[in-house]
Structure formats: C-alpha cells, structure tokens
Amino acid sequence: MWLSFLLLLAFTVLGCSVNMAGAGKADKGSTAADKTNTDNMLRFSISYPTTIASGYPSRVDLQNEKWIKKQEELFNVYMDTRVVEDVKMGHMFAGGSLPDVVGAIGTPSNPSMSGSVEAGLFQPLTQLLKEHVPDLYHYVPEAAWDAVTLNGEIYGLPGFLSNPSRRATFIRMDLLKKTGKEVPRTIEEFVDVLRAFKTIGVQHPYAMRENFKYADIVLGAFDVLPYRDQFTVIDGEVVPKFFQTDKMMQALQTLKDMYDEGLIAKDFATLTASDFFNNIESGNAAIWSQNAVALTGFSNNIRQVEPAAEVRIIPSPIGPDGEGGYFYYSPVVTSFYINKNVEEERVIAILKFFEWQALSEEAQLFYTFGVEGETYAVNDDGSIDYYGAPKTRSGWQEESWRSGVLWAVRDMTMNRLLYETTEDGRQIMQAFDSILQHEGRGGIGFYPELETITAYPELAFPQQDVGPSFIIDNMVQMVYGARPIADWPKVLEEYRARGGDEIIQEATTRYFNEEGTIHLQEQRLRP
C-alpha cells in the first residue's frame, strides 16, 4: 500500500514543461551550500520506513545509490542509509542499535514504534526547532506538529498533509453523457444515476470491494464512516459514528437497495483490491472512490481498453445534512525521530538538512525532476523540460524512491511543480483546490490509540480506514439481507457488551480531559 501511495505521488509524463514561477513555497534565495559548513561535513545514519521488502531499494547498494549520493553532494552530508519494513521495526528496537535518525509510518503511536518515544529513546525537539529552524517550524501545520508531540514536546519531523481530504469520487463522464443524466449532487441523485448506468449496460455502476474499503461513498454521505478517527459526542459520551442509529440505518438501507437492484457487485464482500482495480481498469465501472492523485493512472489504463473514456473527479454526493465526502486522513503520513545519543550540534545540523528538504527550491527541483543536465533542462524562459521521466515500472519505482521516500519532510498532499506539467495533473490540483477542500468528514481520534481497544480485537480498527470486524460483519449481513437493518440498535448493544463500553468510557474520559485527542473537523489537535 505504501509503495502504491508513493507511485501515485510520483506520476510523471515525458516531454513535459513547467515554469518555475509556480514553484510554490520554495526559498529561492538559498541553496544547500548555505545550510552547513562545507569544511565540516554532516554525517548521520538514517532508516527510512516501508511496508514492503521488494522494490527499488532492495535492488541497489544503498551506500552507493545514485540519488542518495546526489543528495549528499547537494547538502554536503554523508548518510549511512537503510530501509526498514514497518513490521520489522520492533526487531531494530530490540537490537538496541538505532541509527541517528529513525523514520516511521504515521505518528509515535504507530505500533511499529514500540513505545520507543515514551521510553525516552529520542530527543525532544521543540526548543531546537524554534531557535535554529524557525522557518521549518512555522511551515509545518500545528496539527501535524501536535500529532508528533508527547507530553508537550515535539519528537517527530513529519511528512504531513496540509489538506487531509484526499479521497475523491471518480466518474466516467463519457458513460454519464450516454445516460443523459447530470452529475449527481445528492445521495438520491447518485442512486438514480447508478440506475441509469445499469440501464445502458454498465456491469458495475458503483465499484465495491471487501470491508467497504474505498467503497464508502454512501457511509460518507450519511456521516457514519466506521473508522478510527471517526468518533463523535452523543449524549455526553464519545462514541464511534456508527452509534448515530438513524443515520446508520438509512445508509444501510441505501446500500441494500443498491445491492438488491444490482447497482453494486453481488459478491462485493469478497472482492479484493485486485478485483476492484480490474473492474475499473477494464472499463466495467462507472463511479468509484479512490485517492484523487490516482486520476492519471485511471485515465491512462482505462483508455487502453476504451480510447474514448473520459475520467473525471466530481463532488461527492451529499447526505441529509448537506455534506458529503470521505474521511479525513491523519495529518501525518511519515515521521522522523532523532536518537537521544546524537550530540546537540549534529541535531541542529540534521534539522537544517530537513529544513532544506522542505523549503528550498534546490531540493524541490532535485526531488521532483532529478539532476539538471541528466534528467531535466532549464529553458531560457525558466521553464523545465523533464526528459528523464520514467517509461517503465522499474523507472517509476526509482522515481518514487527519489521523490517519495528520500524527500522525507515536506507537504505530501501533492507535488504542484510536477502536476502543473500535464492536463491530468492540473485536474488533480483543481480537484484538491475546488472540490476536496470543501468536502470530507472529520471526527474525533486518539493519539496514542485507545489502550482498551487492544483487549478486544474484533472491536479494534485494523487500519485507519477499516472498521472493526464485528461492525463490518454485521453491516455486510444487513446489506445481504441476512439480518434485518432494524436490528442495528441490537448490534450496538452487542458492541457495548463485547467490550465497547470500556472503549467508550476511555474515549470519553480522554476527550473531556484533552488527553491526546484529535478533532480533524477543526483541523487542529487538542493538547
């Protein structure tokens, strides 16, 4: 999944041109040479996180890898680099020999961090950030800093999302034109359009998959997404949003109607991610849900089988409250921590390295396009010809390594410099700026995660966007008609009896005591 995310971030097109006037927040008056003393090279060891062992880093000698060497040259630094699988980070901590900088997926509460921040293995950075890299400190949103804060101290340097609304509703506009319908705005219009798609012979009017993952457009419309950061306050208790009984039953009835009418796959509960993408990219789906950055990939792949296909991102259908969209992601994608044994002088130099990554035009050009004269050229008018854009899968993996992994501390929402180069890229930027910015469902979450959840696996959230198995199983039964939707209040009673009462009690206490709670609707974190 992480590699897929990086590949989406790193999409490229051959022969593209962009003018540096749109480079964004780069500090055009500085270069890497200004950041550190060239007579005193910065040296540190670092581990980058991954979710899979295969891929580009596994095929190269990291100590001599060309993009690492160029990064070292630009900043006058030597980096002893390794890549560690998220599931194997516990072995690294148990071994007792940590690199100077440790990268992790997510925040300090990620299980892979093994309580290492709480155990005092890393340095508090708040004061050093404010004193020595104030531009970096002010560049990163408060919500992202707070997500990597423990007991009032910042410990992590985040790869963050300035816009946590990332998922979008995709539609085949060419098929919509055949139906004679308009783009749907409400959930009722959405279902009506699906019926029209079925009438013209579309096999999957709305593409579904197991666990309602990337198949939750209806749940978003009714604001009952059953996810980790989707708690809300009801009658003085902090509960998961699926405790909104009436809304949940309306959502389930809508899904059941879609199922009964053949608007979603009859076997949706067992369709894998591969099945889901195959159904879409074979041209057999009309509407689906996915991260907005996937627009280019979908457009290119579907056009291979249907050259006239026109894929677009549209506003998500709204529910009874006039809102819609998908869940807000956590503000932090990855984070990097500095070993407590690193002396202060080197800590400051490492912070300046990450500031260079996040803010300088030099770094933005390097991580986006590579090396001038080798992979891109600057034209007389300041525009850039990116002639080294990858053509093969291995090339994409290599570029995603440079632009997605090595570029560690930055706004990971999207790469505007790259997206400006293509029509699909400009559509993605427009989708973020004019659609996603105005939709999405926030909620209350907990960082670190609620402790009581670990005692009740069937009530836990396996992923940020996957509901508890007990809840998902009952939802599926109701959509299939194996259990009456009217039984939803009984499901909630069973949830409480199975350990949910303890989860709700801890959530309520922590929220009202402001202990590590996050409220993404307000785009800020509580202390």
Side-chain angles (χ1 to χ4, degrees):
M1 175 63 85
W2 176 237
L3 179 59
S4 298
F5 175 68
L6 293 175
L7 289 171
L8 292 173
L9 283 176
F11 90 93
T12 55
V13 174
L14 288 173
C16 55
S17 178
V18 60
N19 194 292
M20 281 306 298
K25 298 180 179 179
D27 175 10
K28 299 181 181 179
S30 64
T31 66
D34 299 324
K35 303 300 183 183
T36 188
N37 188 335
T38 56
D39 296 327
N40 185 19
M41 177 180 285
L42 169 64
R43 297 175 181 271
F44 65 92
S45 55
I46 184 171
S47 65
Y48 291 96
T50 185
T51 58
I52 57 175
S54 60
Y56 177 77
S58 68
R59 302 195 301 267
V60 298
D61 173 10
L62 291 179
Q63 305 314 311
N64 294 291
E65 196 275 325
K66 65 179 181 180
W67 298 118
I68 292 177
K69 302 307 290 185
K70 183 60 181 179
Q71 178 179 251
E72 293 175 342
E73 177 186 332
L74 287 172
F75 197 79
N76 188 38
V77 60
Y78 173 77
M79 301 168 64
D80 181 359
T81 304
R82 70 178 86 166
V83 175
V84 179
E85 281 187 87
D86 186 66
V87 295
K88 295 182 179 179
M89 286 185 64
H91 300 313
M92 180 176 66
F93 290 118
S97 178
L98 295 180
D100 297 324
V101 179
V102 173
I105 295 172
T107 69
S109 63
N110 186 322
S112 66
M113 286 294 287
S114 305
S116 56
V117 175
E118 293 88 335
L121 299 185
F122 299 105
Q123 305 220 12
L125 302 173
T126 310
Q127 199 58 39
L128 293 176
L129 286 163
K130 292 179 179 179
E131 288 183 6
H132 298 282
V133 286
D135 289 343
L136 176 62
Y137 178 75
H138 292 297
Y139 170 65
V140 175
E142 181 181 356
W145 282 135
D146 287 346
V148 292
T149 293
L150 183 68
N151 298 325
E153 282 283 358
I154 294 171
Y155 282 88
L157 298 161
F160 63 89
L161 298 176
S162 59
N163 181 355
S165 178
R166 299 188 57 74
R167 289 193 180 173
T169 299
F170 290 74
I171 193 168
R172 284 279 302 277
M173 288 297 295
D174 55 307
L175 297 178
L176 183 66
K177 291 173 184 176
K178 290 182 180 180
T179 68
K181 297 286 186 179
E182 299 293 327
V183 171
R185 285 298 300 124
T186 67
I187 195 67
E188 292 81 12
E189 292 174 356
F190 164 74
V191 176
D192 187 53
V193 166
L194 296 184
R195 295 185 180 112
F197 283 135
K198 182 175 174 60
T199 298
I200 66 171
V202 176
Q203 184 177 352
H204 299 285
Y206 178 65
M208 290 281 289
R209 59 184 278 197
E210 61 188 351
N211 297 322
F212 300 94
K213 188 176 176 70
Y214 287 103
D216 47 8
I217 193 170
V218 173
L219 303 176
F222 287 97
D223 197 20
V224 289
L225 294 162
Y227 302 150
R228 188 180 68 196
D229 295 335
Q230 292 285 313
F231 281 66
T232 190
V233 180
I234 299 178
D235 296 331
E237 288 186 312
V238 177
V239 296
K241 284 189 176 180
F242 51 74
F243 268 78
Q244 300 175 117
T245 306
D246 291 342
K247 291 183 177 181
M248 191 67 188
M249 292 170 66
Q250 286 179 282
L252 289 169
Q253 186 60 58
T254 301
L255 287 165
K256 187 176 188 306
D257 291 344
M258 292 164 58
Y259 175 80
D260 291 341
E261 296 181 39
L263 307 180
I264 57 178
K266 292 297 184 182
D267 56 348
F268 77 86
T270 58
L271 291 179
T272 65
S274 294
D275 298 327
F276 174 78
F277 285 109
N278 287 338
N279 288 335
I280 295 169
E281 294 176 351
S282 62
N284 293 322
I287 299 182
W288 61 93
S289 307
Q290 190 63 213
N291 287 349
V293 293
L295 177 62
T296 298
F298 282 131
S299 295
N300 292 339
N301 291 336
I302 296 172
R303 286 174 191 152
Q304 290 182 18
V305 295
E306 294 191 20
E310 183 182 356
V311 180
R312 291 291 179 265
I313 292 172
I314 61 173
S316 301
I318 59 175
D321 64 354
E323 302 290 337
Y326 306 87
F327 78 102
Y328 282 165
Y329 279 71
S330 165
V332 171
V333 178
T334 58
S335 48
F336 289 78
Y337 304 83
I338 301 180
N339 193 312
K340 68 174 183 179
N341 295 320
V342 179
E343 63 277 16
E344 184 174 289
E345 182 179 359
R346 270 205 308 145
V347 172
I348 294 169
I350 291 170
L351 293 178
K352 289 183 177 181
F353 167 76
F354 285 119
E355 182 182 52
W356 169 77
Q357 274 201 341
L359 296 178
S360 75
E361 181 179 287
E362 180 181 49
Q364 189 176 27
L365 283 169
F366 165 64
Y367 292 113
T368 301
F369 298 118
V371 177
E372 184 176 358
E374 294 182 16
T375 54
Y376 76 93
V378 180
N379 299 319
D380 292 339
D381 63 357
S383 64
I384 294 176
D385 287 330
Y386 185 25
Y387 52 78
K391 303 177 182 179
T392 63
R393 177 179 176 82
S394 61
W396 277 80
Q397 290 179 337
E398 180 180 336
E399 184 184 66
S400 71
W401 161 256
R402 184 189 72 237
S403 64
V405 178
L406 294 183
W407 200 1
V409 177
R410 61 186 170 100
D411 184 352
M412 301 182 78
T413 303
M414 58 179 160
N415 187 335
R416 289 182 180 271
L417 184 61
L418 184 61
Y419 283 11
E420 287 173 350
T421 64
T422 68
E423 177 58 31
D424 281 341
R426 288 187 286 272
Q427 287 188 30
I428 292 172
M429 289 193 294
Q430 182 180 15
F432 272 105
D433 294 339
S434 63
I435 297 177
L436 301 189
Q437 184 175 338
H438 304 292
E439 67 179 40
R441 297 295 193 174
I444 300 167
F446 300 92
Y447 291 77
E449 194 169 0
L450 298 169
E451 292 182 3
T452 47
I453 283 181
T454 60
Y456 305 104
E458 66 176 353
L459 306 185
F461 303 96
Q463 300 172 27
Q464 186 181 17
D465 60 346
V466 175
S469 60
F470 172 75
I471 293 297
I472 296 297
D473 290 346
N474 277 281
M475 290 171 62
V476 170
Q477 289 181 46
M478 290 180 178
V479 174
Y480 279 165
R483 184 171 186 176
I485 293 174
D487 274 1
W488 190 254
K490 294 181 181 178
V491 172
L492 298 182
E493 291 176 6
E494 295 171 20
Y495 174 90
R496 285 183 178 273
R498 291 168 178 260
D501 260 336
E502 294 179 41
I503 293 172
I504 291 169
Q505 182 178 356
E506 183 189 356
T508 302
T509 299
R510 282 183 55 178
Y511 178 75
F512 287 108
N513 288 341
E514 298 187 342
E515 297 175 354
T517 63
I518 179 174
H519 204 305
L520 286 173
Q521 286 163 309
E522 299 175 0
Q523 292 301 282
R524 65 178 178 83
L525 295 176
R526 295 176 178 271

